[in-house]
Amino acid sequence: MNRYDNDYFAIIKEYEVKNDEIIIKFTSGREETFPYEESFEKEIVNYMLTQAKERDKAINITREKLENKLLNALLGAQGVACILLLRRLQILDFQMLPDIFNVMTLAYLDFLAVRNGKKVNEHEKYNIYLNNMEKIANKEDYPDILRGVMREDLELNINTLDKYSLKDLKQIRKNIEQREEKVLRKKR
């Protein structure tokens, strides 16, 4: 999108079509107005989807690196603390090293369980959308996709995604799964 991608921070938050114009709102707070063209609107949507996929990929890589560093620091600190405590109590014995290793392994497994249970809401929301966007757009096969969602009046797409909550996206995913199960039962 050479019309505005010269700006290093040109991340589109959303756009709005008004009076034969497209108003693009960037995350920096800046807004730009262009004459409306359907092809340009499609270009914006594709650009927003690309941004979301790249952000998703970058978040996963960054989270993994951060978690590995944090995990190494935690394990190292636990090991040192355990050895210092045992040394202070004057009960450090090399036969206890396997037990120390077991305690550290359990702590590591607990850390993994907590880490996997606490995903960032926005990231999870985008993840659900990106994994189901074709189904969301297919209103013929999924007519009741917005059932039970707070914003049933608003079409869900990459531009309106921020107006939906994580709870709404989980409900949409559930609706998709229920519809697919229903279709499978009919085929049997």
Side-chain angles (χ1 to χ4, degrees):
M1 301 204 77
N2 55 12
R3 297 179 198 196
Y4 48 80
D5 65 357
N6 293 333
D7 184 354
Y8 181 74
F9 296 102
I11 299 172
I12 299 174
K13 179 180 180 187
E14 62 185 350
Y15 71 91
E16 186 178 358
V17 177
K18 247 189 205 178
N19 303 328
D20 294 330
E21 292 181 325
I22 295 180
I23 303 165
I24 300 174
K25 299 174 184 178
F26 298 92
T27 55
S28 65
R30 187 178 51 129
E31 292 185 7
E32 288 191 28
T33 304
F34 298 93
Y36 178 80
E37 293 176 29
E38 188 176 333
S39 62
F40 185 55
E41 184 177 14
K42 287 179 183 176
E43 194 177 335
I44 293 169
V45 169
N46 288 334
Y47 189 77
M48 290 175 75
L49 285 170
T50 300
Q51 287 179 162
K53 289 175 186 174
E54 288 174 358
R55 183 175 44 231
D56 187 50
K57 190 170 142 184
I59 286 172
N60 285 335
I61 291 169
T62 304
R63 178 183 289 143
E64 190 175 309
K65 286 180 181 178
L66 180 62
E67 287 170 353
N68 286 338
K69 287 179 182 178
L70 180 62
L71 179 63
N72 290 337
L74 283 174
L75 286 176
Q78 276 187 330
V80 169
C82 191
I83 290 171
L84 289 175
L85 177 66
L86 293 174
R87 189 167 168 221
R88 185 152 185 100
L89 296 173
Q90 296 180 345
I91 55 173
L92 180 61
D93 185 359
F94 287 106
Q95 293 175 350
M96 295 179 71
L97 287 179
D99 293 331
I100 294 170
F101 181 74
N102 288 338
V103 168
M104 290 174 57
T105 301
L106 289 174
Y108 169 72
L109 293 175
D110 285 343
F111 173 78
L112 287 179
V114 169
R115 178 193 73 182
N116 290 333
K118 292 184 178 179
K119 283 189 169 181
V120 178
N121 286 350
E122 282 301 304
H123 175 66
E124 188 173 359
K125 198 166 79 167
Y126 272 82
N127 223 342
I128 292 170
Y129 176 76
L130 291 172
N131 290 330
N132 295 289
M133 65 184 193
E134 288 86 15
K135 295 171 185 172
I136 291 168
N138 186 350
K139 290 181 181 46
E140 268 184 42
D141 290 342
Y142 299 91
D144 55 349
I145 198 162
L146 295 178
R147 186 186 72 244
V149 174
M150 297 288 284
R151 302 295 311 250
E152 287 186 34
D153 60 322
L154 182 65
E155 180 183 352
L156 175 59
N157 58 42
I158 191 71
N159 186 44
T160 60
L161 183 58
D162 288 338
K163 293 178 172 73
Y164 284 84
S165 68
L166 176 60
K167 183 179 176 183
D168 288 339
L169 269 287
K170 286 182 177 182
Q171 179 63 46
I172 288 168
R173 181 175 57 194
K174 182 179 174 184
N175 292 344
I176 290 170
E177 290 167 355
Q178 288 174 346
R179 176 71 178 171
E180 289 173 347
E181 287 175 14
K182 189 176 179 182
V183 169
L184 281 174
R185 279 195 301 261
K186 282 184 178 181
K187 288 183 180 181
R188 292 180 190 168

